[in-house]
Amino acid sequence: MDQNKPQEEDYGYNLFPERNSGKFQKGSIAESLFTFNHKCQVMLQFAMETSKLTVLSCLFSAVYKDRHFSCEDCDGTVSGGFDATSSQIVLCQNNIHQQSHMNRVVTHELIHAFDHCRAHVDWFNNFKHLACSEIRAANLSGDCSFHNEVSRFNFGLKKHHQECVRGRALRSILAVRKVSREEAEKVVDEVFDTCFNDHAPFGRIPHDKKDANFAYRDFENRDRYYANL
């Protein structure tokens, strides 16, 4: 075996073993009785009804819980993922245990789904596309909210939110791509300013459900002022 041969890229699918194993079939008795799966389904339903992701859901022609979301066991290092090959969001039922966490994960992955539909992201071949979507998802999902950062004992004043977004985007990239930290940092730095300031489908960074509705309205009305000049 050639020891110098580069390791084959798996695009992070190793983190989601049920994507290939077929361990449970949808609607099977084993799945319905699996406690983690049931809890995941309940939290997902609650999230779709109450969190700011309702704003994101309305941007698509139709979002079906059973078609576009899948609760599965994952590697212990991830909470969710967007599978571009099936246009499906994977929720890691063994790693999501609180409703607030579920809300953030679903919102984060719906940002990826929005980018997939809007920008035709080349997830597998364009590193900058991946980095940009990870920056946007970390920025707009609430991952780096003040409350969450305090709960992680992360404190900072000057541009702390930006540094949190940069760090979480970097970790996401390193989890799904076999690249060095230096390579990932270089790409994140190249696209950071543009992607951090791209708040679509919001007019600004939303802070909660109520604010998300206003931020979405800002986005919808973004051209009205200039149209009336």
Side-chain angles (χ1 to χ4, degrees):
M1 181 180 295
D2 185 358
Q3 298 296 324
N4 296 320
K5 184 179 180 180
Q7 193 173 7
E8 185 178 353
E9 181 67 82
D10 60 23
Y11 302 106
Y13 278 95
N14 64 305
L15 301 174
F16 307 96
E18 290 190 29
R19 292 279 90 184
N20 298 313
S21 67
K23 183 177 180 181
F24 291 120
Q25 293 182 354
K26 288 291 179 184
S28 67
I29 295 176
E31 185 180 41
S32 64
L33 294 178
F34 191 38
T35 304
F36 279 167
N37 185 271
H38 176 70
K39 182 178 180 181
C40 177
Q41 296 289 348
V42 171
M43 287 195 295
L44 171 59
Q45 184 64 41
F46 187 80
M48 294 182 71
E49 294 173 353
T50 63
S51 77
K52 66 185 176 185
L53 65 90
T54 55
V55 173
L56 288 168
S57 297
C58 73
L59 295 171
F60 304 96
S61 57
V63 175
Y64 300 105
K65 183 165 72 73
D66 293 337
R67 162 62 183 90
H68 296 109
F69 298 91
S70 178
C71 291
E72 302 176 8
D73 277 343
C74 309
D75 182 275
T77 61
V78 293
S79 298
F82 176 68
D83 186 351
T85 60
S86 61
S87 296
Q88 190 172 52
I89 290 171
V90 182
L91 302 171
C92 298
Q93 59 194 18
N94 55 319
N95 298 330
I96 302 175
H97 304 296
Q98 295 179 334
Q99 187 64 52
S100 59
H101 189 191
M102 174 64 79
N103 294 348
R104 292 197 308 274
V105 172
V106 177
T107 306
H108 181 112
E109 301 307 333
L110 275 173
I111 293 294
H112 289 322
F114 176 80
D115 288 346
H116 184 68
C117 295
R118 175 191 69 156
H120 306 292
V121 177
D122 187 349
W123 301 98
F124 304 110
N125 301 305
N126 194 315
F127 206 3
K128 289 184 179 181
H129 284 191
L130 172 65
C132 187
S133 191
E134 290 296 352
I135 291 166
R136 283 176 27 78
N139 189 28
L140 300 173
S141 64
D143 287 346
C144 290
S145 69
F146 177 76
H147 173 77
N148 288 323
E149 282 296 272
V150 169
S151 69
R152 300 176 188 125
F153 299 101
N154 292 331
F155 302 94
L157 295 176
K158 187 176 181 180
K159 294 188 176 180
H160 179 75
H161 180 76
Q162 288 91 326
E163 290 308 309
C164 173
V165 169
R166 188 188 302 272
R168 295 187 72 83
L170 182 62
R171 286 194 293 274
S172 294
I173 292 168
L174 292 174
V176 299
R177 291 294 184 275
K178 293 181 174 66
V179 295
S180 68
R181 187 178 184 86
E182 290 72 22
E183 289 178 277
E185 286 178 341
K186 182 176 183 294
V187 175
V188 168
D189 287 343
E190 287 176 353
V191 301
F192 187 82
D193 288 342
T194 298
C195 300
F196 181 82
N197 290 301
D198 179 1
H199 300 148
F202 303 103
R204 50 186 165 75
I205 300 172
H207 301 293
D208 52 39
K209 178 190 175 183
K210 183 177 181 180
D211 188 50
N213 291 326
F214 288 120
Y216 177 55
R217 193 178 304 167
D218 289 345
F219 177 74
E220 285 189 310
N221 296 332
R222 63 194 182 281
D223 296 324
R224 183 172 298 177
Y225 171 79
Y226 299 101
N228 292 326
L229 288 179

